[in-house]
Amino acid sequence: MKNLLLSWLCLICCELTFAQTEKVILDTDLDSDVDDVGALAMLHTLEDHERVEILGIIVTSDDLHAPLCADAINHYFERPEIPIGVEKGIALREFSKYTRSISHSFPKRLNKYADAEDATRLYRKLLAKEADSSVTIVTIGHLTNLKHLIQSAPDDISKLSGLELIRKKVKLWACMGGQFPVGKEANFYRPDPESTQITAEQWPGRVIYSGWEIGNEIITGGDYLKKSLKSDSPVYMGYELYNDFSGRQSWDQSILLYLISPDSYWELSPKGMAIVHDDGSNGWKTDKNGQQQYLMPKTPPTEVAKIIDALMVGHYRAGF
């Protein structure tokens, strides 16, 4: 009888652990590459199945249509209320292959870049209202707005500084960026390597990096995506306009898959810290007391690709 009771309690604990919903702020450079579109689609699938709760989207981009594109994707997935933040007061360009078309083709709330909230204030609002150690920040772009959060001062939103808010509210920073153990990757060096230096050096808690070498081997967005998506969806439009479903590396999606299945697809490096140089290239310093780690391959990339493709088109099952 005692053994039966213990088994029953273990089963309940496992179910509760599996059912845990991750509270996520996504920080994305939704402009030059299409893996950001795939990551957003994947994130909405995960919320459909109560694996995540999307608290907000920070668009770290100078593309004129990027926040509107994010808003249109959120509306398509029936979450029009998700707040969107951008860096204010910067020069804007129009260069993406897909953001303008998506933002003009689907319903949205924002009509222009300036309609989005200030990214630093939105970060602070979202963190201030959540429980301690409950938020995961996922970055799949460059780190300018995260640096601004770190450097933010107490204000009418919170008496805490940005670093204090992070220390109190954030349980994990999950970052697609860098190349490990050494290398040079775009999210770290373009266009703002100083932000990467400051963020990596000053982050007060746990960090997991998914480096260029992880997503580079995982090819998704090909024939399966084309056959499985509705042709009138913004995800279909994004991949069609980007490279007509010829396949693309899955850098951004990989860090999201780690978030929901931390033990399934990759090993973690020894603890340490990313060392970011002035040009945005990075090295690694091992430290048994460090709070940073990076992903290392374990599962064949072709198998990981199948899971990511399925999540991008809305398919989910227990065990992903």
Side-chain angles (χ1 to χ4, degrees):
M1 183 69 179
K2 182 178 179 181
N3 289 338
L4 180 62
L5 179 60
L6 287 173
S7 298
W8 181 72
L9 288 172
C10 287
L11 178 61
I12 290 176
C13 289
C14 288
E15 288 177 347
L16 287 174
T17 299
F18 178 75
Q20 183 179 7
T21 300
E22 299 286 346
K23 293 179 177 287
V24 171
I25 301 172
L26 181 71
D27 192 323
T28 170
D29 59 344
L30 186 70
D31 49 39
S32 59
D33 213 325
V34 75
D35 55 341
D36 298 84
V37 174
L40 258 179
M42 193 173 162
L43 199 62
H44 280 285
T45 296
L46 294 173
E47 178 150 352
D48 288 342
H49 293 86
E50 300 182 345
R51 295 305 313 277
V52 306
E53 178 186 353
I54 307 169
L55 300 179
I57 305 292
I58 306 296
V59 177
T60 303
S61 171
D62 61 351
D63 179 77
L64 184 65
H65 306 286
L68 285 64
C69 178
D71 190 32
I73 293 172
N74 292 343
H75 274 68
Y76 178 82
F77 286 102
E78 299 183 351
R79 295 187 177 91
E81 74 287 351
I82 295 175
I84 295 173
V86 296
E87 184 180 7
K88 298 287 189 175
I90 60 173
L92 299 175
R93 301 181 292 153
E94 187 172 357
F95 61 91
S96 174
K97 292 182 178 180
Y98 59 81
T99 58
R100 184 180 187 277
S101 294
I102 290 176
S103 64
H104 285 188
S105 301
F106 295 90
K108 61 187 184 302
R109 169 173 47 88
L110 305 179
N111 292 312
K112 56 185 182 299
Y113 186 100
D115 291 340
E117 298 186 49
D118 175 79
T120 303
R121 287 187 63 80
L122 180 56
Y123 256 135
R124 291 180 60 81
K125 283 195 297 185
L126 294 174
L127 292 177
K129 71 179 183 180
E130 296 300 329
D132 292 354
S133 302
S134 67
V135 178
T136 296
I137 294 177
V138 180
T139 59
I140 55 174
H142 57 91
L143 302 173
T144 308
N145 281 316
L146 205 56
K147 178 198 73 174
H148 291 163
L149 168 63
I150 286 174
Q151 295 180 333
S152 63
D155 58 11
D156 58 306
I157 296 169
S158 172
K159 64 182 181 180
L160 301 178
S161 69
L163 268 178
E164 290 168 336
L165 267 176
I166 292 166
R167 188 176 289 110
K168 185 176 179 66
K169 301 292 185 175
V170 177
K171 69 175 183 177
L172 175 67
W173 169 28
C175 172
M176 188 280 118
Q179 187 173 357
F180 296 94
V182 295
K184 189 174 182 179
E185 183 274 330
N187 283 350
F188 271 23
Y189 75 78
R190 185 182 64 197
D192 185 14
E194 182 186 26
S195 287
T196 309
Q197 287 182 306
I198 291 170
T199 306
E201 290 174 4
Q202 297 187 19
W203 195 263
R206 187 166 178 251
V207 184
I208 300 295
Y209 297 104
S210 179
W212 175 90
E213 69 284 356
I214 294 295
N216 192 59
E217 303 299 321
I218 304 168
I219 307 301
T220 60
D223 288 341
Y224 175 80
L225 207 70
K226 184 175 183 178
K227 293 174 182 177
S228 303
L229 287 171
K230 293 181 179 179
S231 60
D232 61 350
S233 84
V235 183
Y236 188 103
M237 179 177 285
Y239 275 85
E240 182 180 44
L241 291 173
Y242 186 78
N243 65 5
D244 198 21
F245 296 96
S246 62
R248 187 60 176 155
Q249 283 87 348
S250 303
W251 294 292
D252 293 348
Q253 300 95 320
S254 298
I255 192 63
L256 287 177
L257 186 57
Y258 167 79
L259 187 64
I260 63 160
S261 298
D263 302 316
S264 298
Y265 304 106
W266 297 282
E267 305 284 357
L268 288 179
S269 73
K271 293 180 179 180
M273 181 177 180
I275 305 300
V276 183
H277 307 294
D278 290 345
D279 66 350
S281 62
N282 70 273
W284 184 258
K285 180 181 180 181
T286 300
D287 178 353
K288 66 180 181 179
N289 297 315
Q291 297 192 79
Q292 303 183 11
Q293 293 173 280
Y294 59 87
L295 301 186
M296 301 188 301
K298 179 174 74 171
T299 304
T302 52
E303 296 303 308
V304 180
K306 293 174 185 177
I307 305 300
I308 290 175
D309 264 332
L311 288 167
M312 289 195 297
V313 303
H315 299 318
Y316 175 88
R317 65 171 173 79
F320 276 7

